Amino acid sequence: SFSNYVQHALQALASVIQAPGSRDDENIYAFENAVCALGKMCEFQSSSLDAKVILPSWLANLPLTEDKVEARNVHAQLMRLLETNATALLGASQEHLPRVVSVLADVLPTSGLSAKLRLVEPEVAARMKNFLLQIQSSLPQEKLAAAWSVLSAEKQAALQNALAS
């Protein structure tokens, strides 16, 4: 089974993601594909890895912006993980919520663009909106304020517009 190879695969992906210059123009597609593969391992091989360590590393490399196909896949995957394993992704005390909100603020406003430009499909964007509305009504105000405070005024406005549309 693949579980025997998970640690080797994680090491290989980490070497691509963390390599000097990994986000340079000539390497960005390999970088984004490695981030996508890391997310798939988190989703489908979770019993063979330490999600508390790997998920925050994966999340730190989002959003993907250059390879639009991979970006849409990974941002849909982000929603699947939030819907099925929010605690592992957000952290026990929601310490990763600001990063999640930041990623959603980057990708949600693109859902209305052409297929060549958008970073998230409209149906996934609708799920993102529902997630944001749900946390607004269920989390303590100080957690929400901390999450929103990491956004620039421009990103806050874009996210508010996306939520209102």
Side-chain angles (χ1 to χ4, degrees), residues 96-153:
H96 305 299
L97 180 63
R99 183 70 200 144
V100 168
V101 169
S102 180
V103 171
L104 298 184
D106 285 336
V107 303
L108 252 176
T110 72
S111 68
L113 300 176
S114 73
K116 287 185 176 184
L117 298 175
R118 66 177 165 239
L119 301 175
V120 64
E121 293 294 347
E123 59 273 9
V124 176
R127 291 169 38 214
M128 289 177 171
K129 289 179 192 179
N130 287 339
F131 171 79
L132 288 167
L133 294 171
Q134 178 187 2
I135 64 167
Q136 285 179 330
S137 65
S138 63
L139 288 180
Q141 192 57 42
E142 64 274 5
K143 296 271 186 199
L144 294 172
W148 284 83
S149 71
V150 302
L151 303 177
S152 66

Side-chain angles (χ1 to χ4, degrees), residues 17-18 28 32 34-35 39 47 49-51 58 61-62 68 71 76 79 85 93-94 100 115 124-125 141-142 152 165:
I17 292 168
Q18 297 168 357
I28 192 66
E32 290 194 352
V35 171
S47 63
L49 52 82
D50 186 354
W58 175 72
N61 288 293
L62 301 183
K68 304 302 190 257
M79 279 316 304
N85 200 2
S93 53
Q94 291 90 31
V100 168
V124 176
Q141 192 57 42
E142 64 274 5
S152 66
S165 64

